[in-house]
Amino acid sequence: LNQTTSLWLFGDTLFGGFDSKTNTRMCTSSGGIWNMSCGFAHSTLGILTQSSSLETNQRVAYDVEFFVNRTSDKAPVPFFSPPNTSSPNYWWVVSGVASYATQDIVLMAQVIAPAPAVCFGFAVEGTALISIDNVMDPLEQWKYSSMEVPGTGACTNWFVGMTHSDGKDSDEVYIVGTNGIASVDEHGCHVCSNSSVVLARANITDLRNLKWNDAVEFWCEDDSSDTSSSWFGASSSSGKWNSDCPNNKLRPLFTPTNCGSSNCPISEMSLFYNFYLG
C-alpha cells in the first residue's frame, strides 16, 4: 500500500476461543473437527505496518491489524463475495498487486462452487478479477467491482500469482496462470492433467478498470522456432483466453515435476511464483 504498509490477504479463516493452558482450540466438535457454527469466513484482511526501522542484523518489526466483515448479529462473513448473492458460489482470493504510485489494488480469486464430498467439497469454476474502487478510504469502507475472467474454468485460470514486472512499482504487471487439460472422473469430479504454469501481462490501470480483452498480452510459443516465444495481445473478439497465440499455444513458464494428473499444487503457490518472478 506504501513503503511501510502492506495488505495481507487471508483465505479460509476460522474463529473461536483458544485455551493456552491445553494448547487447544475451544471451537471443535468430536474428533477435532472444526465446529463451523463458531465462525468461518472465506476471506479476511490484515494490514501490516512497519513499526521499527531496518538496522544492520536486525529484523524489521510489524504491527498487524485484522479486518473482518460481520453481519448485524456479529457473525463473520467473507470480506469479498461474488455480486450474485443468490448463487452458492464463493471466492477464494489467492493473489493481488498494489501500486502506491497510482493508488490501485487489483486481486485475483478462484471462483468456487460447492461439490460433493468425494470431490473434496468444492470445484473451481474460473477466475474473478476484483478491483478496489476507493483505496484511499479506511479499509472497512472499501467497495469493489469485479468481473469473471473470460475463458477460465476448472483447469485454465489466472489467479496463481501477480507481481510488478520490474519487481517494484511499475505500471506493467505479470499475471501467472495455469493451463491444463480438463476432464471428469468416475465420480463427476473435475480432473486437470498436463498442467503447466503460464504467463500474461497487462497495465494495472486497465485491470483496475476491469479490462481484459484488448488489454492483456499472453506469453506464447512462436511458430518461427521451437524455442522462441513472443507476446501476443488479446482481441475483443477472443472467445478463448489463449486464442490469440499462434495455434493456441501458450509458452509454459515452467512445468512442475512430480505433479500428478489431478490436484496438482501449482495453483496454490502464489507466494512462490511472486518470488520466482522477482
Side-chain angles (χ1 to χ4, degrees), residues 22-92:
T22 60
N23 197 32
T24 57
R25 298 184 183 275
M26 301 168 60
C27 197
T28 55
S29 56
S30 60
I33 305 299
W34 186 261
N35 184 351
M36 293 298 182
S37 65
C38 294
F40 177 83
H42 289 300
S43 59
T44 56
L45 301 179
I47 294 293
L48 282 75
T49 303
Q50 184 175 323
S51 57
S52 68
S53 60
L54 179 62
E55 298 180 6
T56 304
N57 298 323
Q58 180 179 348
R59 182 173 295 179
V60 177
Y62 288 86
D63 293 327
V64 182
E65 184 177 6
F66 297 98
F67 292 86
V68 180
N69 271 357
R70 296 182 182 272
T71 63
S72 57
D73 58 359
K74 305 302 181 181
V77 293
F79 197 96
F80 298 104
S81 297
N84 183 2
T85 57
S86 63
S87 170
N89 290 3
Y90 55 91
W91 287 338
W92 275 337

Side-chain angles (χ1 to χ4, degrees), residues 154-156 177-182 191-198 252-257 259-267 273:
C155 303
T156 54
T178 57
N179 183 26
I181 299 173
V191 176
C192 302
S193 59
N194 299 326
S195 295
S196 59
V197 178
V198 290
L253 190 61
F254 62 88
T255 300
T257 59
C259 185
S261 61
S262 63
N263 300 320
C264 185
I266 62 175
S267 64
Y273 295 122

Side-chain angles (χ1 to χ4, degrees), residues 163 176 197 253-254 270-278:
T163 189
V176 185
V197 178
L253 190 61
F254 62 88
S270 60
L271 283 176
F272 169 78
Y273 295 122
N274 286 349
F275 173 80
Y276 178 86
L277 291 171

